[in-house]
Structure formats: C-alpha cells, structure tokens
Amino acid sequence: MATRKERLSPIQPQKVSIPSATISRLVTYLRILTTLEEQGINRTSSEDLAEEAQVSAFQVRKDLAYFGRFGTRGMGYTVLTLRRELRRILGLNRRWNAVIVGMGRLGQAIADFPGFSDYDFELRGLFDVDPDKIGMQIKGISIQHVDDLERVVREQNVDMGFITVPVEKAQDAANMLVAAGVKGILNFAPTVLEVPDDVAVEPVDFLAGMKRLAFYILNPNLKNAVEEAAV
Ligand code: NAD
C-alpha cells in the first residue's frame, strides 16, 4: 500500500518537457490496458498497444520512456504492472474532488453522467447564480449559490472545477475557483482563461473538434503529418 506522501507526489519525469500529445496517448494506453485486464490478458507489447492506439510501436516506447523503464526487452509488459504505473503517472491512484460552476444544460448533463462514479472523481459541489436552480438536487447534491464556492472548496478539499457558465462569465468563474484554491480547471466555455502558472486548465470544446474534423475531412492526407509534428 502506497503511503500518502507517495500517492500525492507528482511524478519525476526523466525529461522536463513532455508533449501534451504524450499525456493524451497515456490516457489511451491506460484504457487499452484496462480492457486487456478485463479480458484476462496478462502480457502485452509496444506493438500490440501501438496497433490498438493506432500509433507506431516507436511512439509507444518513446511516450513511456519519458517516465522511466517499463517492461522487459523482448518480453513486453505485464498488463497489471504497466496499468498500475500509468495510473500512478496520471495521478489516478487517488480520489479527485471536483465541483461544477454553471448548472445549466451542460452542467446538469455532466453532473447526471451515470459513469462518473466509475472513475475516482467525486463531485463535491454544484454551483450557479440562478435563484430558480439553487436548492435543486442532482444525484443527491444540492445546487448552491457561487457565494458558497470558496467555503465548499476548502471544506471538501476540492482539487478541480468544471466551468460550464456562459462564455462571458467564464473568467469570473475561473477567478473564483482560483481564489478558492482549486488547482485544475476543465473549461467548457469557448474562451482562453487567464490563470496563475500553478493552475492547470484543460479546454474541452466540441465545436473546435467539429472545425478540426471539417479540416481533416477536406484534407485527409494532412492528418498524419499534423499528428507527427505534435509529438
Ligand atoms: P446554459 O445557459 O444552459 O447554462 C449556463 C448556466 O450558468 C446557467 O444555469 C446560469 O445561471 C449559470 N451562470 C451564469 N453565470 C454564472 C456565474 N457567474 N456563476 C455560476 N453560474 C453562472 O448554458 P449551456 O448550454 O449549459 O452552456 C454552458 C457553457 O458551456 C457555455 O459557455 C457554452 O458555450 C459551453 N458549451 C461547451 C460545450 C463544449 O463542448 N465544450 C458544449 C456545449 C456548451
């Protein structure tokens, strides 16, 4: 059993700069390893992972090498061990507490997502400013006024906030989350947020995805070139 210090320490990468595409692929490798484990498969290889993830085996080895040595040359990886290591690297070997700011269509849909509890992410608070929504319950959690955000973040040790307010309110919501001590923001509003260096922001934007998709449908031969440039 890992000690609290071990569980909460950030990873010590072998190189300082790790492409964000590598982190996205680690998430993909982890999903593949989880499926292999569910299927009772004990061993895998860079080639197998590469085929499932639709990247090259070289890419798999390069991604993993940022974080140390895994597996044995010629023997591949033990599924259980590599999965455990990826969970540790990604910080998924602990529970993360989250709040949602903005309980309109999107905020309610996220809060209502049935698979939420399958992951080690726990919703600790739902916030809005609309008096008609305050007090409404979703999955047994009452929507509270944003004035209570700071208190809840501190009392519930909240790590991350999801921003699902109208775009013109997104920076205010980010400022409130930062002031309360949140260190990570999943931003669904279509705007770039200004936050201090020690706060991570992950944008989520399906409209941007649609635009990229339109470009790639029109330019299918550019897909690999753009992906390779990103590694
Ligand atoms: P909505 O109007 O249904 O909900 C917005 C909610 O935010 C409302 O309940 C409103 O009362 C609340 N709100 C307003 N100001 C607030 C504040 N200062 N603090 C807390 N709550 C506040 O909007 P929606 O359709 O749910 O969209 C929400 C956001 O998500 C928008 O910015 C939209 O552009 C974005 N969006 C993103 C994606 C994506 O893929 N990333 C998809 C859909 C919508």
Side-chain angles (χ1 to χ4, degrees):
M1 177 90 177
T3 64
R4 181 173 167 78
K5 187 158 180 283
E6 276 166 355
R7 276 188 284 120
L8 299 186
S9 308
I11 46 112
Q12 301 295 324
Q14 309 293 300
K15 296 175 188 172
V16 182
S17 171
I18 300 172
S20 65
T22 289
I23 305 302
S24 301
R25 284 190 294 266
L26 292 190
V27 174
T28 304
Y29 305 151
L30 177 59
R31 179 175 48 71
I32 295 165
L33 289 161
T34 303
T35 306
L36 292 175
E37 197 179 325
E38 283 165 5
Q39 292 169 346
I41 295 169
N42 299 325
R43 298 200 71 84
T44 188
S45 63
S46 305
E47 287 73 18
D48 289 346
L49 288 174
E51 193 178 329
E52 286 295 323
Q54 295 186 15
V55 295
S56 67
F58 171 75
Q59 185 70 68
V60 172
R61 285 192 283 269
K62 187 174 168 191
D63 288 336
L64 295 179
Y66 282 110
F67 301 95
R69 283 172 56 91
F70 307 94
T72 316
R73 189 178 280 274
M75 299 278 289
Y77 311 99
T78 309
V79 169
L80 204 75
T81 310
L82 187 57
R83 181 170 180 269
R84 190 184 59 219
E85 287 299 308
L86 288 190
R87 282 178 57 83
R88 180 184 63 79
I89 290 165
L90 291 167
L92 300 177
N93 55 349
R94 54 159 283 192
R95 186 162 285 278
W96 293 94
N97 294 327
V99 293
I100 304 179
V101 185
M103 291 307 296
R105 283 164 293 220
L106 187 56
Q108 291 186 33
I110 293 170
D112 212 24
F113 172 53
F116 217 96
S117 55
D118 292 349
Y119 301 89
D120 285 336
F121 293 90
E122 188 88 40
L123 271 184
R124 295 291 184 185
L126 309 174
F127 298 92
D128 207 289
V129 286
D130 180 353
D132 289 343
K133 295 194 176 106
I134 312 291
M136 244 174 75
Q137 293 235 340
I138 299 182
K139 295 256 194 68
I141 305 174
S142 285
I143 298 178
Q144 301 179 75
H145 194 277
V146 280
D147 287 350
D148 291 319
L149 176 74
E150 186 157 349
R151 177 184 54 77
V152 172
V153 165
R154 294 197 194 287
E155 285 177 4
Q156 304 279 336
N157 293 319
V158 170
D159 308 286
M160 56 179 77
F162 302 170
I163 292 184
T164 48
V165 296
V167 64
E168 64 277 10
K169 299 289 181 195
Q171 187 62 54
D172 290 348
N175 294 347
M176 277 189 282
L177 286 164
V178 170
V182 161
K183 292 295 176 204
I185 293 174
L186 197 59
N187 178 30
F188 290 84
T191 186
V192 176
L193 299 174
E194 285 183 26
V195 296
D197 286 346
D198 64 342
V199 176
V201 177
E202 268 295 310
V204 182
D205 189 347
F206 88 93
L207 292 173
M210 279 163 53
K211 289 169 195 162
R212 283 196 299 272
L213 206 51
F215 174 83
Y216 286 128
I217 290 171
L218 290 175
N219 304 280
N221 53 332
L222 288 181
K223 187 164 172 281
N224 288 339
V226 175
E227 279 173 359
E228 274 159 24
V231 299

